[in-house]
Amino acid sequence: MKIIKLLYFKYILSFLICIISSIVIFFIFSLLGNLSEDYLFKIIINLSLLNSFQILTYVPSFIFLLSVMLFTIFLRSKNEMIIIKSYMNIKRLMLFFLPIVLIFTILEINKNSLVDFIEDKKTLLIKESDKIASKILINEKNGSRTFTILKNINFKLLQDAEYRTYEIYNDKIQLAQFSNNLIISNNTLIANNYTQYKNDLIEDLNVKKIINIDLNNLDKQSSISQNISDKRRFELNIQFINLLIFYILFYSFIFLVFSSKRFVSIKVGLTYPIFICFISLLYSFLIFNNSINFYKQEFEIIASFIIAMFILKEGLNE
């Protein structure tokens, strides 16, 4: 138990050093970029700090890799790694790193939500809600996505307002509507007439259309875009499950490589584990962050099998 506590202490120290160093570096570069903006200096400082945290949310895997590298260096510096490996087998070592792996996996999977949350805070900070003239609503349901765009929207004056909606299924537009004749009646947005595209036909419809939008919530929303999908239902998503499995395996692999008995001695360099982990990190980024739709899900599943084989190899070597 004392060894587990020592490991957590060393890792938390390594993580704090990495996170603070990264924040400082990102903050300096962000501050230099924001100094040209026409804001108060206090707002520039806070905005630069939020930018730093936002950048960190984009790269949790990179921060994890740096922290494990520094953690390994700390243990090797006083030959603590040799003592730990002599007392702990791979099963006991898993008790230490699995909670950390799960935390970073959750962060990786939810990083887009964290980025949006920080973006909202930035928007509130610089009070862009007074300047925003457009709102974008995204609704995902049954495999289709509906984008509703309100341009030049002003809830007190709708003279120049425009309404557009696009329903997309299998990357094809199934339905599109446009109207620049909008009114608000009983807190409901209504299009007096609109133009519609459906089944490869474009027609002008001189009928009223009730636009099903919560105006009160929309007016309070500070960001330009908002996802209004029904999130109460949990859908069994193969892509999500595979993403979860991959990052659990990937982070576990990084720990296993750096804690391998081949690299416990300070006389042996860390060139190989650093190189192989950076290559794996680059591979994961290319696989899970591309816009290619051709066999995308198959490539992601194959990536999980590959990282699983790497873990099996490391486990057999131990």
Side-chain angles (χ1 to χ4, degrees):
M1 195 66 182
K2 290 183 178 179
I3 295 179
I4 296 292
K5 290 181 179 178
L6 173 66
L7 291 174
Y8 275 119
F9 173 76
K10 293 284 187 178
Y11 180 78
I12 291 173
L13 179 61
S14 304
F15 174 74
L16 289 176
I17 292 174
C18 289
I19 203 77
I20 292 173
S21 302
S22 300
I23 288 174
V24 170
I25 294 172
F26 295 146
F27 175 78
I28 292 174
F29 281 101
S30 180
L31 181 62
L32 294 174
N34 289 328
L35 285 175
S36 59
E37 300 291 339
D38 188 21
Y39 300 128
L40 295 175
F41 186 70
K42 180 182 178 180
I43 294 179
I44 290 177
I45 294 293
N46 293 333
L47 188 61
S48 300
L49 189 60
L50 286 174
N51 282 337
S52 304
F53 283 107
Q54 191 173 37
I55 295 172
L56 287 177
T57 58
Y58 279 114
V59 288
S61 297
F62 181 71
I63 299 299
F64 177 82
L65 178 55
L66 289 181
S67 64
V68 174
M69 288 168 52
L70 190 59
F71 169 71
T72 306
I73 292 171
F74 281 160
L75 292 180
R76 281 161 45 100
S77 62
K78 296 182 180 179
N79 291 321
E80 292 173 322
M81 182 68 84
I82 297 176
I83 300 173
I84 290 170
K85 291 294 291 183
S86 63
Y87 281 95
M88 296 184 68
N89 56 25
I90 188 171
K91 292 182 179 179
R92 293 190 63 190
L93 193 61
M94 287 175 63
L95 295 176
F96 156 67
F97 69 73
L98 270 182
I100 301 173
V101 165
L102 292 175
I103 291 172
F104 272 92
T105 300
I106 293 172
L107 289 175
E108 179 67 41
I109 292 175
N110 293 282
K111 65 181 181 181
N112 291 332
S113 299
L114 293 173
V115 169
D116 293 339
F117 174 77
I118 297 176
E119 188 65 35
D120 285 344
K121 296 300 179 183
K122 287 165 56 180
T123 304
L124 288 173
L125 180 64
I126 59 180
K127 296 181 179 179
E128 282 188 352
S129 56
D130 295 331
K131 303 175 184 179
I132 292 176
S134 299
K135 299 282 187 178
I136 302 174
L137 304 178
I138 306 169
N139 190 6
E140 300 180 36
K141 185 178 181 181
N142 298 328
S144 67
R145 291 182 296 170
T146 302
F147 295 87
T148 302
I149 302 171
L150 299 174
K151 188 177 180 182
N152 299 324
I153 190 69
N154 186 323
F155 294 98
K156 296 180 181 179
L157 182 64
L158 296 176
Q159 182 177 355
D160 299 322
E162 294 181 0
Y163 160 78
R164 292 182 175 88
T165 186
Y166 305 94
E167 185 177 319
I168 299 175
Y169 184 77
N170 288 335
D171 296 326
K172 293 182 179 180
I173 297 178
Q174 304 295 325
L175 175 69
Q177 295 175 342
F178 167 81
S179 176
N180 57 0
N181 188 358
L182 305 176
I183 60 171
I184 294 179
S185 177
N186 296 326
N187 203 31
T188 302
L189 188 62
I190 300 174
N192 286 324
N193 52 62
Y194 60 98
T195 301
Q196 177 173 279
Y197 165 82
K198 186 177 182 180
N199 297 328
D200 295 328
L201 294 176
I202 299 177
E203 55 183 340
D204 293 322
L205 300 176
N206 194 22
V207 294
K208 290 186 177 182
K209 173 182 173 60
I210 297 177
I211 301 172
N212 189 20
I213 293 175
D214 188 347
L215 294 180
N216 291 328
N217 182 52
L218 188 66
D219 192 25
K220 296 176 183 178
Q221 182 69 24
S222 58
S223 59
I224 297 176
S225 62
Q226 180 185 9
N227 195 319
I228 59 173
S229 305
D230 186 2
K231 299 179 181 179
R232 292 174 295 179
R233 296 183 306 163
F234 176 77
E235 296 182 1
L236 193 62
N237 190 312
I238 295 177
Q239 186 177 13
F240 172 80
I241 294 174
N242 182 66
L243 189 68
L244 181 67
I245 293 173
F246 175 84
Y247 278 104
I248 290 176
L249 295 176
F250 174 64
Y251 291 140
S252 301
F253 170 70
I254 292 176
F255 259 121
L256 290 175
V257 169
F258 278 96
S259 61
S260 173
K261 60 184 179 182
R262 293 173 291 171
F263 309 109
V264 295
S265 175
I266 195 172
K267 296 180 181 180
V268 181
L270 294 175
T271 304
Y272 171 78
I274 292 174
F275 175 76
I276 195 68
C277 287
F278 266 111
I279 292 297
S280 301
L281 180 62
L282 180 62
Y283 174 72
S284 68
F285 179 80
L286 292 176
I287 291 296
F288 291 97
N289 296 277
N290 64 74
S291 57
I292 300 175
N293 293 322
F294 185 73
Y295 290 122
K296 178 178 175 62
Q297 185 169 305
E298 286 78 2
F299 280 120
E300 291 177 354
I301 294 174
I302 290 173
S304 295
F305 276 109
I306 291 174
I307 203 69
M309 287 190 292
F310 278 133
I311 288 181
L312 180 62
K313 176 177 175 293
E314 290 296 325
L316 292 175
N317 287 335
E318 291 295 307

